[in-house]
Amino acid sequence: MRHFLLIGILFISVFASCNKVDTREQENQLRAQKHTDTVFTILTKNWVFKIPTQSTALQTEVSDWKAWLEFRNDISITPVSSISAFQKKSEKLSNSSLNLFNEIPTNLNRPDIRSRITVLNTLLSNLEMYLTLDKIQEKQIIRLIPQINTAIASLVSQMEEIVVKKSIPKEIGEAEMLQALDTLRLANPTFTEN
């Protein structure tokens, strides 16, 4: 009889401790759900990417650059359903920015453009990283979105500058003077420009 009493007390104490664990888990799940809802609200409010308007000359220049057109389309669409939609979108944006290195138009395939694409790619990779953490760092994401917008504006501005410089007519004899000043050509006479 005594054994039954001890077993009964043991059973009741185990059952009571299981209930305490269950209530703690429920509280933790509720806390996590509130955090997720808060993060989703913050992301929905702050997920605003802007591509500056482009001149018609630049639009003509980039009209065959499929990666740029795809990137513009990808960044203009805002996810709306869940945090996982934001995570998938950030991954797609990161991959899309990597594709910008493919088939850059000849006139824009310069180190200053490539470096701006690299900066943009780094920022979008950081965005993807922050969104895939177990505990999403919403403050970091809020700081990162304006930096991404600045990188996009810098890239478009540099492309505009190249297009404008290209449209300026050269003076008589300027081409020969630039060729004479080209140290790479002087160092390697067999060098041909692409």
Side-chain angles (χ1 to χ4, degrees):
M1 180 78 172
R2 200 173 189 178
H3 294 293
F4 289 120
L5 185 62
L6 285 176
I7 291 174
I9 292 173
L10 182 64
F11 181 72
I12 291 172
S13 64
V14 168
F15 182 72
S17 67
C18 287
N19 282 340
K20 287 180 184 178
V21 170
D22 287 343
T23 56
R24 270 193 233 131
E25 286 179 17
Q26 288 175 349
E27 289 172 1
N28 288 340
Q29 287 175 351
L30 282 173
R31 226 177 283 125
Q33 185 61 39
K34 282 182 182 179
H35 178 72
T36 302
D37 292 343
T38 305
V39 169
F40 179 74
T41 304
I42 290 170
L43 287 176
T44 304
K45 180 181 174 188
N46 292 297
W47 192 276
V48 179
F49 294 108
K50 301 171 189 169
I51 294 186
T53 56
Q54 301 169 2
S55 67
T56 54
L58 180 58
Q59 289 176 359
T60 304
E61 188 74 35
V62 297
S63 63
D64 294 333
W65 191 11
K66 293 178 184 174
W68 174 252
L69 299 175
E70 181 182 318
F71 176 75
R72 286 191 57 179
N73 289 337
D74 287 345
I75 207 155
S76 66
I77 300 170
T78 304
V80 291
S81 59
S82 65
I83 288 186
S84 65
F86 282 101
Q87 291 169 338
K88 289 176 186 174
K89 181 55 125 177
S90 67
E91 182 181 355
K92 187 170 184 174
L93 288 175
S94 181
N95 291 334
S96 185
S97 69
L98 270 175
N99 290 336
L100 288 176
F101 288 109
N102 300 337
E103 304 171 11
I104 299 175
T106 307
N107 294 330
L108 299 176
N109 194 0
R110 299 173 33 157
D112 47 355
I113 296 294
R114 294 176 83 69
S115 66
R116 282 168 175 77
I117 292 172
T118 302
V119 169
L120 179 61
N121 184 30
T122 302
L123 292 170
L124 288 170
S125 295
N126 287 345
L127 178 67
E128 179 186 3
M129 177 194 63
Y130 287 129
L131 279 169
T132 56
L133 293 173
D134 288 337
K135 186 172 182 204
I136 296 176
Q137 304 288 323
E138 66 271 6
K139 291 179 183 176
Q140 294 293 337
I141 294 170
I142 291 171
R143 282 190 217 124
L144 201 55
I145 289 175
Q147 292 175 3
I148 293 170
N149 284 328
T150 303
I152 293 170
S154 175
L155 175 61
V156 171
S157 174
Q158 188 63 37
M159 290 191 294
E160 289 283 0
E161 184 179 328
I162 290 170
V163 169
V164 167
K165 283 183 179 179
K166 178 184 164 195
S167 68
I168 298 173
K170 292 189 178 184
E171 294 182 14
I172 298 172
E174 185 177 356
E176 292 84 18
M177 182 190 73
L178 291 174
Q179 190 174 10
L181 293 174
D182 189 358
T183 57
L184 184 60
R185 186 178 303 279
L186 292 174
N188 186 2
T190 60
F191 174 76
T192 57
E193 289 187 27
N194 295 336

